[in-house]
mmCIF file of all heavy atoms in Angstrom:
data_model
loop_
_atom_site.group_PDB
_atom_site.id
_atom_site.type_symbol
_atom_site.label_atom_id
_atom_site.label_comp_id
_atom_site.label_asym_id
_atom_site.label_seq_id
_atom_site.Cartn_x
_atom_site.Cartn_y
_atom_site.Cartn_z
ATOM 1 N N PHE A 1 2.065 11.675 -4.752
ATOM 2 C CA PHE A 1 3.588 11.253 -4.927
ATOM 3 C C PHE A 1 3.573 9.742 -4.756
ATOM 4 O O PHE A 1 4.311 9.016 -5.524
ATOM 5 C CB PHE A 1 4.332 11.846 -3.842
ATOM 6 C CG PHE A 1 5.780 11.518 -3.886
ATOM 7 C CD1 PHE A 1 6.759 12.192 -4.627
ATOM 8 C CD2 PHE A 1 6.217 10.520 -2.950
ATOM 9 C CE1 PHE A 1 8.023 11.789 -4.652
ATOM 10 C CE2 PHE A 1 7.511 10.046 -2.899
ATOM 11 C CZ PHE A 1 8.435 10.787 -3.836
ATOM 12 N N ARG A 2 2.877 9.141 -3.827
ATOM 13 C CA ARG A 2 2.977 7.711 -3.702
ATOM 14 C C ARG A 2 2.189 6.979 -4.690
ATOM 15 O O ARG A 2 2.636 5.842 -4.989
ATOM 16 C CB ARG A 2 2.398 7.416 -2.270
ATOM 17 C CG ARG A 2 3.269 8.023 -1.157
ATOM 18 C CD ARG A 2 2.936 7.379 0.272
ATOM 19 N NE ARG A 2 1.616 7.724 0.653
ATOM 20 C CZ ARG A 2 0.748 6.940 1.158
ATOM 21 N NH1 ARG A 2 1.074 5.535 1.403
ATOM 22 N NH2 ARG A 2 -0.376 7.314 1.582
ATOM 23 N N ILE A 3 1.166 7.465 -5.274
ATOM 24 C CA ILE A 3 0.631 6.861 -6.437
ATOM 25 C C ILE A 3 1.461 6.683 -7.603
ATOM 26 O O ILE A 3 1.515 5.626 -8.233
ATOM 27 C CB ILE A 3 -0.794 7.636 -6.875
ATOM 28 C CG1 ILE A 3 -1.889 7.303 -5.863
ATOM 29 C CG2 ILE A 3 -1.234 7.151 -8.234
ATOM 30 C CD1 ILE A 3 -3.077 8.259 -6.104
ATOM 31 N N LYS A 4 2.192 7.782 -7.852
ATOM 32 C CA LYS A 4 3.200 7.688 -8.996
ATOM 33 C C LYS A 4 4.301 6.637 -8.613
ATOM 34 O O LYS A 4 4.561 5.857 -9.551
ATOM 35 C CB LYS A 4 3.890 9.102 -9.143
ATOM 36 C CG LYS A 4 4.944 9.221 -10.253
ATOM 37 C CD LYS A 4 5.527 10.568 -10.396
ATOM 38 C CE LYS A 4 6.433 10.658 -11.570
ATOM 39 N NZ LYS A 4 7.528 9.696 -11.526
ATOM 40 N N ARG A 5 4.741 6.603 -7.472
ATOM 41 C CA ARG A 5 5.734 5.554 -6.978
ATOM 42 C C ARG A 5 5.205 4.190 -7.106
ATOM 43 O O ARG A 5 5.795 3.240 -7.635
ATOM 44 C CB ARG A 5 6.262 5.934 -5.622
ATOM 45 C CG ARG A 5 7.093 4.874 -5.049
ATOM 46 C CD ARG A 5 8.516 4.690 -5.842
ATOM 47 N NE ARG A 5 9.220 3.645 -5.232
ATOM 48 C CZ ARG A 5 10.076 2.809 -5.841
ATOM 49 N NH1 ARG A 5 10.158 2.893 -7.168
ATOM 50 N NH2 ARG A 5 10.811 1.964 -5.319
ATOM 51 N N ALA A 6 4.022 4.028 -6.510
ATOM 52 C CA ALA A 6 3.312 2.557 -6.565
ATOM 53 C C ALA A 6 3.160 2.117 -7.901
ATOM 54 O O ALA A 6 3.321 0.938 -8.337
ATOM 55 C CB ALA A 6 2.078 2.734 -5.792
ATOM 56 N N SER A 7 2.904 3.058 -8.925
ATOM 57 C CA SER A 7 2.642 2.574 -10.258
ATOM 58 C C SER A 7 3.922 2.101 -10.988
ATOM 59 O O SER A 7 3.970 1.444 -11.972
ATOM 60 C CB SER A 7 2.000 3.741 -11.183
ATOM 61 O OG SER A 7 2.889 4.784 -11.328
ATOM 62 N N GLU A 8 5.058 2.511 -10.355
ATOM 63 C CA GLU A 8 6.437 2.013 -10.877
ATOM 64 C C GLU A 8 6.796 0.728 -10.299
ATOM 65 O O GLU A 8 7.861 0.197 -10.847
ATOM 66 C CB GLU A 8 7.500 3.157 -10.632
ATOM 67 C CG GLU A 8 7.159 4.505 -11.282
ATOM 68 C CD GLU A 8 7.993 5.595 -10.621
ATOM 69 O OE1 GLU A 8 8.755 5.467 -9.643
ATOM 70 O OE2 GLU A 8 7.917 6.765 -11.179
ATOM 71 N N ILE A 9 6.269 0.291 -9.221
ATOM 72 C CA ILE A 9 6.679 -0.988 -8.648
ATOM 73 C C ILE A 9 6.153 -2.184 -9.437
ATOM 74 O O ILE A 9 4.945 -2.269 -9.714
ATOM 75 C CB ILE A 9 6.216 -1.054 -7.144
ATOM 76 C CG1 ILE A 9 6.790 0.265 -6.380
ATOM 77 C CG2 ILE A 9 6.545 -2.311 -6.444
ATOM 78 C CD1 ILE A 9 6.227 0.422 -4.965
ATOM 79 N N LYS A 10 6.992 -3.082 -9.731
ATOM 80 C CA LYS A 10 6.784 -4.162 -10.659
ATOM 81 C C LYS A 10 5.584 -5.030 -10.200
ATOM 82 O O LYS A 10 4.712 -5.399 -10.912
ATOM 83 C CB LYS A 10 7.983 -5.092 -10.804
ATOM 84 C CG LYS A 10 7.793 -6.117 -11.980
ATOM 85 C CD LYS A 10 9.003 -6.914 -12.063
ATOM 86 C CE LYS A 10 8.800 -7.917 -13.222
ATOM 87 N NZ LYS A 10 10.001 -8.766 -13.425
ATOM 88 N N GLU A 11 5.565 -5.307 -8.804
ATOM 89 C CA GLU A 11 4.473 -6.163 -8.311
ATOM 90 C C GLU A 11 2.996 -5.560 -8.419
ATOM 91 O O GLU A 11 2.063 -6.208 -8.317
ATOM 92 C CB GLU A 11 4.707 -6.496 -6.813
ATOM 93 C CG GLU A 11 4.699 -5.402 -5.965
ATOM 94 C CD GLU A 11 5.252 -5.681 -4.571
ATOM 95 O OE1 GLU A 11 6.394 -6.256 -4.470
ATOM 96 O OE2 GLU A 11 4.732 -5.029 -3.563
ATOM 97 N N ASN A 12 2.971 -4.261 -8.764
ATOM 98 C CA ASN A 12 1.688 -3.564 -8.892
ATOM 99 C C ASN A 12 1.257 -3.514 -10.298
ATOM 100 O O ASN A 12 0.146 -2.870 -10.545
ATOM 101 C CB ASN A 12 1.784 -2.216 -8.297
ATOM 102 C CG ASN A 12 2.002 -2.183 -6.711
ATOM 103 O OD1 ASN A 12 1.590 -3.144 -6.184
ATOM 104 N ND2 ASN A 12 2.640 -1.096 -6.271
ATOM 105 N N GLU A 13 1.865 -4.087 -11.231
ATOM 106 C CA GLU A 13 1.551 -4.063 -12.587
ATOM 107 C C GLU A 13 0.154 -4.562 -12.832
ATOM 108 O O GLU A 13 -0.230 -5.588 -12.328
ATOM 109 C CB GLU A 13 2.605 -4.882 -13.385
ATOM 110 C CG GLU A 13 2.866 -4.399 -14.842
ATOM 111 C CD GLU A 13 4.018 -5.223 -15.437
ATOM 112 O OE1 GLU A 13 5.221 -4.823 -15.220
ATOM 113 O OE2 GLU A 13 3.682 -5.977 -16.179
ATOM 114 N N GLY A 14 -0.616 -3.740 -13.501
ATOM 115 C CA GLY A 14 -1.987 -4.037 -13.881
ATOM 116 C C GLY A 14 -2.983 -3.814 -12.694
ATOM 117 O O GLY A 14 -4.171 -4.064 -12.869
ATOM 118 N N LYS A 15 -2.531 -3.263 -11.629
ATOM 119 C CA LYS A 15 -3.380 -2.935 -10.483
ATOM 120 C C LYS A 15 -3.645 -1.413 -10.295
ATOM 121 O O LYS A 15 -2.722 -0.683 -10.672
ATOM 122 C CB LYS A 15 -2.768 -3.439 -9.154
ATOM 123 C CG LYS A 15 -2.541 -4.988 -9.050
ATOM 124 C CD LYS A 15 -1.839 -5.330 -7.755
ATOM 125 C CE LYS A 15 -1.442 -6.796 -7.785
ATOM 126 N NZ LYS A 15 -0.664 -7.190 -6.512
ATOM 127 N N ASP A 16 -4.613 -1.056 -9.591
ATOM 128 C CA ASP A 16 -4.886 0.310 -9.405
ATOM 129 C C ASP A 16 -3.925 0.837 -8.229
ATOM 130 O O ASP A 16 -4.134 0.333 -7.098
ATOM 131 C CB ASP A 16 -6.308 0.475 -8.971
ATOM 132 C CG ASP A 16 -6.689 2.009 -8.630
ATOM 133 O OD1 ASP A 16 -5.859 2.777 -8.376
ATOM 134 O OD2 ASP A 16 -7.948 2.317 -8.749
ATOM 135 N N PRO A 17 -3.005 1.646 -8.410
ATOM 136 C CA PRO A 17 -2.018 1.963 -7.433
ATOM 137 C C PRO A 17 -2.570 2.606 -6.206
ATOM 138 O O PRO A 17 -2.166 2.418 -5.041
ATOM 139 C CB PRO A 17 -0.968 2.959 -8.162
ATOM 140 C CG PRO A 17 -1.656 3.358 -9.382
ATOM 141 C CD PRO A 17 -2.703 2.300 -9.709
ATOM 142 N N LYS A 18 -3.746 3.398 -6.387
ATOM 143 C CA LYS A 18 -4.348 3.999 -5.246
ATOM 144 C C LYS A 18 -4.975 2.998 -4.346
ATOM 145 O O LYS A 18 -4.838 3.110 -3.117
ATOM 146 C CB LYS A 18 -5.422 4.992 -5.697
ATOM 147 C CG LYS A 18 -6.021 5.849 -4.617
ATOM 148 C CD LYS A 18 -7.073 6.853 -5.112
ATOM 149 C CE LYS A 18 -7.636 7.595 -4.011
ATOM 150 N NZ LYS A 18 -8.774 8.446 -4.364
ATOM 151 N N LYS A 19 -5.618 1.990 -4.893
ATOM 152 C CA LYS A 19 -6.219 0.927 -4.076
ATOM 153 C C LYS A 19 -5.099 0.096 -3.451
ATOM 154 O O LYS A 19 -5.304 -0.322 -2.228
ATOM 155 C CB LYS A 19 -7.056 0.017 -4.988
ATOM 156 C CG LYS A 19 -8.433 0.739 -5.429
ATOM 157 C CD LYS A 19 -9.187 -0.214 -6.161
ATOM 158 C CE LYS A 19 -10.600 0.561 -6.592
ATOM 159 N NZ LYS A 19 -11.383 -0.227 -7.470
ATOM 160 N N VAL A 20 -3.985 -0.032 -4.055
ATOM 161 C CA VAL A 20 -2.935 -0.882 -3.451
ATOM 162 C C VAL A 20 -2.347 -0.128 -2.272
ATOM 163 O O VAL A 20 -2.230 -0.681 -1.191
ATOM 164 C CB VAL A 20 -1.701 -1.099 -4.441
ATOM 165 C CG1 VAL A 20 -0.558 -1.752 -3.743
ATOM 166 C CG2 VAL A 20 -2.231 -2.048 -5.541
ATOM 167 N N ILE A 21 -2.215 1.178 -2.343
ATOM 168 C CA ILE A 21 -1.819 2.061 -1.266
ATOM 169 C C ILE A 21 -2.808 2.046 -0.068
ATOM 170 O O ILE A 21 -2.351 1.787 1.048
ATOM 171 C CB ILE A 21 -1.524 3.519 -1.836
ATOM 172 C CG1 ILE A 21 -0.325 3.542 -2.577
ATOM 173 C CG2 ILE A 21 -1.427 4.494 -0.506
ATOM 174 C CD1 ILE A 21 -0.193 4.962 -3.431
ATOM 175 N N GLU A 22 -4.034 2.228 -0.413
ATOM 176 C CA GLU A 22 -5.010 2.238 0.598
ATOM 177 C C GLU A 22 -5.061 0.931 1.379
ATOM 178 O O GLU A 22 -5.010 0.867 2.760
ATOM 179 C CB GLU A 22 -6.398 2.660 0.032
ATOM 180 C CG GLU A 22 -6.487 4.027 -0.416
ATOM 181 C CD GLU A 22 -7.754 4.365 -1.320
ATOM 182 O OE1 GLU A 22 -8.481 3.387 -1.679
ATOM 183 O OE2 GLU A 22 -7.929 5.539 -1.581
ATOM 184 N N LYS A 23 -5.070 -0.145 0.678
ATOM 185 C CA LYS A 23 -5.156 -1.532 1.385
ATOM 186 C C LYS A 23 -3.908 -1.754 2.110
ATOM 187 O O LYS A 23 -3.939 -2.103 3.327
ATOM 188 C CB LYS A 23 -5.239 -2.491 0.238
ATOM 189 C CG LYS A 23 -5.380 -3.947 0.803
ATOM 190 C CD LYS A 23 -5.576 -4.924 -0.344
ATOM 191 C CE LYS A 23 -5.632 -6.418 0.060
ATOM 192 N NZ LYS A 23 -5.754 -7.326 -0.940
ATOM 193 N N THR A 24 -2.677 -1.541 1.531
ATOM 194 C CA THR A 24 -1.502 -1.720 2.252
ATOM 195 C C THR A 24 -1.391 -0.923 3.485
ATOM 196 O O THR A 24 -1.001 -1.413 4.583
ATOM 197 C CB THR A 24 -0.214 -1.582 1.325
ATOM 198 O OG1 THR A 24 -0.502 -2.419 0.144
ATOM 199 C CG2 THR A 24 1.094 -2.000 2.063
ATOM 200 N N ASP A 25 -1.603 0.393 3.403
ATOM 201 C CA ASP A 25 -1.597 1.229 4.474
ATOM 202 C C ASP A 25 -2.449 0.810 5.596
ATOM 203 O O ASP A 25 -2.198 0.840 6.787
ATOM 204 C CB ASP A 25 -1.861 2.794 4.129
ATOM 205 C CG ASP A 25 -0.632 3.368 3.485
ATOM 206 O OD1 ASP A 25 0.400 2.941 3.455
ATOM 207 O OD2 ASP A 25 -0.900 4.549 3.033
ATOM 208 N N ASN A 26 -3.758 0.486 5.185
ATOM 209 C CA ASN A 26 -4.783 -0.014 6.204
ATOM 210 C C ASN A 26 -4.227 -1.274 6.929
ATOM 211 O O ASN A 26 -4.437 -1.260 8.124
ATOM 212 C CB ASN A 26 -6.085 -0.172 5.526
ATOM 213 C CG ASN A 26 -7.158 -0.330 6.422
ATOM 214 O OD1 ASN A 26 -7.288 0.119 7.583
ATOM 215 N ND2 ASN A 26 -8.255 -1.146 5.978
ATOM 216 N N TYR A 27 -3.715 -2.234 6.130
ATOM 217 C CA TYR A 27 -3.234 -3.424 6.824
ATOM 218 C C TYR A 27 -2.112 -3.173 7.797
ATOM 219 O O TYR A 27 -2.033 -3.610 8.820
ATOM 220 C CB TYR A 27 -2.892 -4.465 5.772
ATOM 221 C CG TYR A 27 -3.978 -5.188 5.046
ATOM 222 C CD1 TYR A 27 -5.335 -4.792 5.287
ATOM 223 C CD2 TYR A 27 -3.720 -6.155 4.272
ATOM 224 C CE1 TYR A 27 -6.327 -5.527 4.741
ATOM 225 C CE2 TYR A 27 -4.668 -6.995 3.523
ATOM 226 C CZ TYR A 27 -6.114 -6.639 3.749
ATOM 227 O OH TYR A 27 -7.116 -7.299 3.258
ATOM 228 N N ARG A 28 -1.178 -2.275 7.375
ATOM 229 C CA ARG A 28 0.014 -1.951 8.178
ATOM 230 C C ARG A 28 -0.440 -1.239 9.491
ATOM 231 O O ARG A 28 0.030 -1.628 10.553
ATOM 232 C CB ARG A 28 0.963 -1.131 7.364
ATOM 233 C CG ARG A 28 1.773 -1.877 6.431
ATOM 234 C CD ARG A 28 2.824 -1.002 5.677
ATOM 235 N NE ARG A 28 3.583 -1.797 4.674
ATOM 236 C CZ ARG A 28 4.340 -1.202 3.829
ATOM 237 N NH1 ARG A 28 4.603 0.045 3.771
ATOM 238 N NH2 ARG A 28 5.094 -1.942 2.984
ATOM 239 N N ARG A 29 -1.418 -0.377 9.375
ATOM 240 C CA ARG A 29 -1.848 0.430 10.589
ATOM 241 C C ARG A 29 -2.459 -0.498 11.513
ATOM 242 O O ARG A 29 -2.277 -0.429 12.706
ATOM 243 C CB ARG A 29 -2.819 1.510 10.103
ATOM 244 C CG ARG A 29 -2.231 2.727 9.657
ATOM 245 C CD ARG A 29 -3.190 3.873 9.477
ATOM 246 N NE ARG A 29 -4.378 3.588 8.597
ATOM 247 C CZ ARG A 29 -4.389 3.953 7.283
ATOM 248 N NH1 ARG A 29 -3.410 4.598 6.799
ATOM 249 N NH2 ARG A 29 -5.432 3.515 6.639
ATOM 250 N N THR A 30 -3.336 -1.469 10.995
ATOM 251 C CA THR A 30 -4.061 -2.356 11.888
ATOM 252 C C THR A 30 -3.041 -3.330 12.525
ATOM 253 O O THR A 30 -3.086 -3.554 13.712
ATOM 254 C CB THR A 30 -5.032 -3.270 11.082
ATOM 255 O OG1 THR A 30 -5.976 -2.286 10.363
ATOM 256 C CG2 THR A 30 -5.775 -4.212 11.848
ATOM 257 N N TYR A 31 -2.020 -3.739 11.851
ATOM 258 C CA TYR A 31 -1.042 -4.675 12.292
ATOM 259 C C TYR A 31 -0.251 -3.976 13.339
ATOM 260 O O TYR A 31 0.064 -4.617 14.480
ATOM 261 C CB TYR A 31 -0.080 -5.070 11.196
ATOM 262 C CG TYR A 31 1.058 -6.080 11.516
ATOM 263 C CD1 TYR A 31 0.727 -7.464 11.471
ATOM 264 C CD2 TYR A 31 2.311 -5.657 11.823
ATOM 265 C CE1 TYR A 31 1.729 -8.361 11.661
ATOM 266 C CE2 TYR A 31 3.291 -6.575 12.016
ATOM 267 C CZ TYR A 31 2.890 -7.937 12.115
ATOM 268 O OH TYR A 31 3.889 -8.938 12.383
ATOM 269 N N TYR A 32 0.282 -2.741 13.171
ATOM 270 C CA TYR A 32 1.032 -2.041 14.132
ATOM 271 C C TYR A 32 0.245 -1.741 15.337
ATOM 272 O O TYR A 32 0.646 -1.968 16.491
ATOM 273 C CB TYR A 32 1.387 -0.650 13.457
ATOM 274 C CG TYR A 32 2.473 0.127 14.151
ATOM 275 C CD1 TYR A 32 3.766 -0.075 13.974
ATOM 276 C CD2 TYR A 32 2.151 1.199 15.142
ATOM 277 C CE1 TYR A 32 4.786 0.648 14.691
ATOM 278 C CE2 TYR A 32 3.128 1.899 15.784
ATOM 279 C CZ TYR A 32 4.416 1.541 15.562
ATOM 280 O OH TYR A 32 5.343 2.248 16.184
ATOM 281 N N LYS A 33 -1.098 -1.400 15.312
ATOM 282 C CA LYS A 33 -1.893 -1.140 16.360
ATOM 283 C C LYS A 33 -2.181 -2.428 17.177
ATOM 284 O O LYS A 33 -2.052 -2.403 18.484
ATOM 285 C CB LYS A 33 -3.359 -0.526 15.854
ATOM 286 C CG LYS A 33 -4.289 -0.197 17.026
ATOM 287 C CD LYS A 33 -3.838 1.048 17.732
ATOM 288 C CE LYS A 33 -4.905 1.512 18.643
ATOM 289 N NZ LYS A 33 -4.447 2.761 19.292
ATOM 290 N N LYS A 34 -2.418 -3.514 16.556
ATOM 291 C CA LYS A 34 -2.666 -4.829 17.255
ATOM 292 C C LYS A 34 -1.272 -5.227 18.108
ATOM 293 O O LYS A 34 -1.581 -5.544 19.196
ATOM 294 C CB LYS A 34 -2.998 -5.865 16.229
ATOM 295 C CG LYS A 34 -3.039 -7.254 16.832
ATOM 296 C CD LYS A 34 -3.410 -8.349 15.958
ATOM 297 C CE LYS A 34 -3.410 -9.683 16.450
ATOM 298 N NZ LYS A 34 -3.893 -9.884 17.774
ATOM 299 N N TYR A 35 -0.266 -5.080 17.518
ATOM 300 C CA TYR A 35 0.958 -5.672 18.164
ATOM 301 C C TYR A 35 1.784 -4.623 19.018
ATOM 302 O O TYR A 35 2.670 -4.966 19.759
ATOM 303 C CB TYR A 35 1.906 -6.283 17.137
ATOM 304 C CG TYR A 35 1.283 -7.621 16.683
ATOM 305 C CD1 TYR A 35 0.763 -7.673 15.376
ATOM 306 C CD2 TYR A 35 1.063 -8.713 17.556
ATOM 307 C CE1 TYR A 35 0.254 -8.814 14.887
ATOM 308 C CE2 TYR A 35 0.480 -9.824 16.973
ATOM 309 C CZ TYR A 35 0.138 -9.956 15.778
ATOM 310 O OH TYR A 35 -0.510 -11.091 15.244
#
């Protein structure tokens, strides 16, 4: 579901949506845990 949504987001044009999701989720989890 999120891959489909990510592929519709303009800033992700030309990017692999699955990789964008994995990277963003990973960064958010790390940030949340740290703070």
Side-chain angles (χ1 to χ4, degrees):
F1 178 84
R2 293 192 297 134
I3 287 171
K4 183 179 181 303
R5 171 64 180 147
S7 67
E8 298 166 353
I9 298 172
K10 190 177 181 181
E11 67 195 40
N12 295 334
E13 211 170 280
K15 298 177 185 173
D16 179 339
K18 184 178 180 188
K19 287 183 179 171
V20 172
I21 288 168
E22 288 169 353
K23 181 179 177 182
T24 306
D25 280 352
N26 192 24
Y27 281 8
R28 283 181 181 171
R29 279 192 300 270
T30 304
Y31 185 85
Y32 193 85
K33 182 72 170 184
K34 174 178 174 35
Y35 290 110

